[in-house]
Structure formats: C-alpha cells, structure tokens
Amino acid sequence: MDLNDLHWRKASHSASNGGECVELASATATVVIRDSKHPHGPRLTVRRDAFADLVAALKR
C-alpha cells in the first residue's frame, strides 16, 4: 500500500492554530493516522473495525 497517494483529512477537533492536528486517510481495509505537523513521519495503520471500536470507546 502506497501511503503517499492517500487523501488525508484533518480531524474536526484538531486545533485551527496549527497545533495538535491529527489527519486520517482511508485505505482499502484500514484507516491510517498521522500527525499533520510531520506528514512524512510515522503513521499508525489500523483495521477499520478496530478504528470503529476506538472511536466508540472515546465517545463513551
């Protein structure tokens, strides 16, 4: 999977001042997460179902 060709979206709760920003991209069977300040830095890739579980847990 080439992570450079993904369409990245900034999380809606990220600060608008360029601070704590998280970006997400959707790949075939995964969600990819990166720090917008370091777009070529480390990326976290998780299965879609695991990401859905994470979001549900954070909302509780």
Side-chain angles (χ1 to χ4, degrees):
M1 165 182 18
D2 185 0
L3 299 181
N4 295 316
D5 293 334
L6 297 174
H7 174 71
W8 293 93
R9 298 183 333 219
K10 187 176 289 189
S12 61
H13 290 284
S14 291
S16 60
N17 62 0
E20 303 164 3
C21 298
V22 174
E23 293 179 323
L24 305 174
S26 180
T28 304
T30 61
V31 174
V32 187
I33 306 164
R34 72 178 182 185
D35 181 344
S36 64
K37 295 183 305 286
H38 300 94
H40 299 293
R43 296 166 183 176
L44 176 65
T45 303
V46 296
R47 291 185 337 260
R48 288 181 183 273
D49 59 333
F51 184 76
D53 290 344
L54 172 65
V55 171
L58 293 172
K59 288 182 176 183
R60 282 186 234 144

